[in-house]
Amino acid sequence: MSADIVIEHVSKQFRGGALALADISLQVGDGDFVSLLGPSGCGKSTLLKIVAGLTAPSAGTVAVDGISPANARQLMSFIFQDPTLLPWRTVEENVGLGLELSGTAAGVRQAKVDEMLELVGLSAARQLYPRQLSGGMKMRVSIARALASRPSILLLDEPFAALDEMTRDRLNDELLRLYAERQQTVLFVTHSVAEAVYLSRRIVILAPHPGRVAHIVDNHLPWPRPADLRLSAAFETQVACVSRLLRGVQAAAAEPSV
Amino acid sequence: MNRHLSFALQSLLVLGVLLTIWQSAVWMGVPHYMLPAPLAVASVVVERFPALVRSLWLTAEAAALGLLGSIVVGVAIALAFAQWRALRRLLFPYTILLQTVPIVAIAPLILMWAGNGLFSVALVAFIICLPPIIANTTQGLISVEENFLHLFLMHEATPAQVLFQLRLPHALPNLFTGIRIAAGIAVIGAITGELFAGSSRVGEGGLGYSILYASGQLETDYLFALVLAATVLGFAFFFVTMFLEWYFLHHWHESNRPDLPD
């Protein structure tokens, strides 16, 4: 239950004329975990929205499991930076939203919601409203909602950027556990090097103005990845390597072009 | 709790002082038909209580009908505005125009067209209640954040699902703001309507009619009683709306957060 993403020569020009993405080609295989890493202005979120079919590319094509993104939506779930929980719905009603919209029978829906709440450790909070939750709990609800429809592809747009580091690390661990269990294809946008290194199989470093692929790093850290991997020398070496590449990209962008 | 109690006592004290000043003014020789004493007003309230309540009830009925009608029609129009942008751009300015029309000027027209009676009076209330309902609800319906729309899009929601499961609940707080504004002016609208509506029986009608009649008869003390009744009615409408707003929103809406300081 996973699928691949093929991005070919994708460019995106905004209506104002600014070129956000220039000729991006990228393949994300079945069960791959790819991070899009780059400074702000590199168009990483725009690229993710194009893959989700939420915005159209100006040129080039995207195929999700062989079909256009707009037709492949039932394969995908999108997790936003903001938890985007409906404030008038309880935790369980938020988790069940997608199932409800697709007309899943109430009994089946309840069973799936229960399973998801169990998975993210929020069974006790099911009756609470979003305003009663901490930032980390809200994000867990958002993840549970995304997983409830059993997507083959998870698209995450800097989901943990607004959280404190402890919460972020814990949610990273949970995300890896879920990935190990379900082997979805994951496309993960982040601006944190450590997060990208800890989570992904491959890291795509984008350069800004216009957004383009600068480097693709194969991340050879072993699987499974326990929490204390973050303290290992191998991890630190990898972080240093990716940081260096990222800094190079930023320095090149800062120089005036000739 | 103590704080509330002392606040209530202070308010009552102010009221007491005002009533004393008023009563003293009358004792010092202001003529009764110009300014009846509070005690005289109180006694006429008791004396003519059944008639007063009947007037109050007639006005309440008309105002409530107008308000309910404006909620139903206003929400329907706002939903249409939210769904069809072209329609909104074409017609929304006219709802603002409706708001600026002086109701006193068009009330006689409405009564001329629709005839006397409850329906026409309710219609006047309806017309002044409609603009705030439409304006506030439309605002709430169209100000949904893009991420929520994307979320619904990713779940392949139908346009109806987006409208009724996302936009409408999102607009509920705005709708209640509209209802609160409308509730206040519904009573004013009904009374205005009654000023022109007349009555099938001499001396009997809603508050507006009775105000005209009492002023014609120079029953100034009863006039005061009617003003008092109109104020009570306005308050009642306001509190009912506040309660409904609390009832529907306090579970989830930030405005009713229990841990916020006053």
Side-chain angles (χ1 to χ4, degrees):
Chain A
M1 56 159 245
S2 41
D4 63 338
I5 303 166
V6 180
I7 301 168
E8 280 181 324
H9 305 296
V10 160
S11 297
K12 176 72 183 178
Q13 188 150 25
F14 286 126
R15 238 177 295 174
L19 194 60
L21 296 169
D23 196 27
I24 302 243
S25 291
L26 186 66
Q27 294 199 3
V28 181
D30 237 19
D32 207 350
F33 195 130
V34 174
S35 286
L36 298 174
L37 181 68
S40 56
C42 71
K44 50 195 191 296
S45 290
T46 307
L47 184 58
L48 199 68
K49 290 217 163 87
I50 289 174
V51 172
L54 294 173
T55 178
S58 311
T61 57
V62 175
V64 175
D65 199 29
I67 51 180
S68 77
N71 291 321
R73 288 215 180 99
Q74 75 258 40
L75 297 176
M76 300 187 276
S77 273
F78 198 104
I79 298 179
F80 302 86
Q81 174 173 351
D82 176 37
T84 55
L85 303 181
L86 302 177
W88 54 87
R89 283 172 171 252
T90 59
V91 165
E92 58 180 344
E93 287 166 349
N94 265 292
V95 171
L97 176 74
L99 301 169
E100 200 181 314
L101 291 176
S102 64
T104 309
V108 181
R109 192 166 76 220
Q110 194 57 50
K112 282 196 177 177
V113 167
D114 289 346
E115 186 195 335
M116 289 306 130
L117 287 173
E118 187 77 26
L119 199 66
V120 297
L122 281 178
S123 298
R126 58 190 316 145
Q127 301 288 351
L128 298 181
Y129 285 87
R131 71 169 190 198
Q132 296 166 290
L133 305 178
S134 69
M137 288 164 90
K138 283 183 195 166
M139 209 62 231
R140 277 208 193 90
V141 177
S142 183
I143 292 171
R145 177 181 60 197
L147 295 177
S149 50
R150 296 207 154 257
S152 314
I153 298 174
L154 266 186
L155 306 171
L156 301 97
D157 187 7
E158 304 193 42
F160 310 132
L163 302 175
D164 63 89
E165 202 171 333
M166 302 273 286
T167 311
R168 172 193 279 230
D169 283 353
R170 213 170 48 240
L171 286 173
N172 280 343
D173 292 341
E174 284 185 28
L175 185 62
L176 275 192
R177 178 171 59 83
L178 296 171
Y179 172 65
E181 275 174 29
R182 307 187 155 214
Q183 291 296 322
Q184 289 123 330
T185 307
V186 183
L187 194 53
F188 187 94
V189 167
T190 180
H191 55 236
S192 158
V193 173
E195 193 172 55
V197 169
Y198 182 64
L199 293 175
S200 33
R201 291 182 187 273
R202 287 191 302 150
I203 300 167
V204 176
I205 299 176
L206 296 173
H209 312 300
R212 58 202 186 278
V213 176
H215 307 278
I216 296 181
V217 182
D218 281 319
N219 187 5
H220 292 303
L221 291 176
W223 295 88
R225 294 179 180 168
D228 57 11
L229 179 76
R230 292 193 188 90
L231 306 172
S232 71
F235 180 78
E236 275 175 23
T237 313
Q238 185 70 299
V239 168
C241 163
V242 174
S243 293
R244 210 158 30 239
L245 290 173
L246 185 62
R247 206 165 313 147
V249 162
Q250 271 170 309
E255 270 169 31
S257 50
V258 259
Chain B
M1 196 59 228
N2 248 332
R3 211 153 37 104
H4 293 293
L5 194 66
S6 78
F7 175 71
L9 284 176
Q10 281 167 18
S11 306
L12 282 177
L13 190 69
V14 171
L15 184 66
V17 169
L18 286 175
L19 285 175
T20 312
I21 294 173
W22 178 5
Q23 184 75 46
S24 327
V26 176
W27 278 330
M28 283 191 294
V30 178
H32 179 255
Y33 58 86
M34 293 286 280
L35 183 68
L39 288 174
V41 173
S43 78
V44 82
V45 166
V46 175
E47 219 171 278
R48 301 175 67 172
F49 194 68
L52 194 61
V53 169
R54 210 154 42 237
S55 293
L56 187 84
W57 183 247
L58 278 173
T59 307
E61 249 180 348
L65 265 175
L67 180 61
L68 286 178
S70 76
I71 294 170
V72 172
V73 175
V75 168
I77 291 176
L79 285 171
F81 279 177
Q83 196 61 10
W84 296 290
R85 193 192 171 85
L87 190 73
R88 181 168 83 238
R89 298 179 68 156
L90 196 67
L91 295 183
F92 193 72
Y94 291 98
T95 65
I96 307 295
L97 202 69
L98 188 63
Q99 201 158 15
T100 60
V101 170
I103 193 70
V104 188
I106 56 162
L109 276 177
I110 293 165
L111 285 149
M112 195 172 76
W113 291 330
N116 286 347
L118 180 66
F119 175 76
S120 314
V121 175
L123 194 59
V124 176
F126 167 82
I127 286 172
I128 60 167
C129 287
L130 198 54
I133 303 278
I134 294 177
N136 283 284
T137 311
T138 304
Q139 189 57 39
L141 289 171
I142 64 176
S143 62
V144 173
E145 267 176 68
E146 196 184 33
N147 276 354
F148 286 108
L149 294 170
H150 281 165
L151 175 72
F152 272 62
L153 199 60
M154 289 306 290
H155 285 298
E156 303 189 281
T158 62
Q161 285 175 325
V162 171
L163 195 59
F164 291 105
Q165 302 210 41
L166 177 60
R167 291 189 189 274
L168 194 57
H170 178 267
L172 262 193
N174 305 72
L175 170 61
F176 275 110
T177 305
I179 293 177
R180 218 185 315 139
I181 297 167
I185 57 181
V187 175
I188 297 173
I191 290 175
T192 309
E194 287 165 349
L195 289 179
F196 301 93
S199 166
S200 48
R201 264 190 288 165
V202 173
E204 274 193 28
L207 291 174
Y209 174 79
S210 302
I211 285 168
L212 267 191
Y213 191 81
S215 95
Q217 305 286 313
L218 273 186
E219 295 171 338
T220 319
D221 46 1
Y222 193 51
L223 202 53
F224 266 81
L226 288 165
V227 171
L228 198 67
T231 314
V232 167
L233 188 58
F235 261 109
F237 266 63
F238 182 75
F239 278 114
V240 169
T241 346
M242 287 292 281
F243 172 75
L244 288 177
E245 183 171 356
W246 173 84
Y247 181 79
F248 282 107
L249 300 184
H250 77 283
H251 304 290
W252 62 269
H253 196 249
E254 294 293 339
S255 66
N256 286 299
R257 246 188 125 89
D259 52 341
L260 278 183
D262 290 347

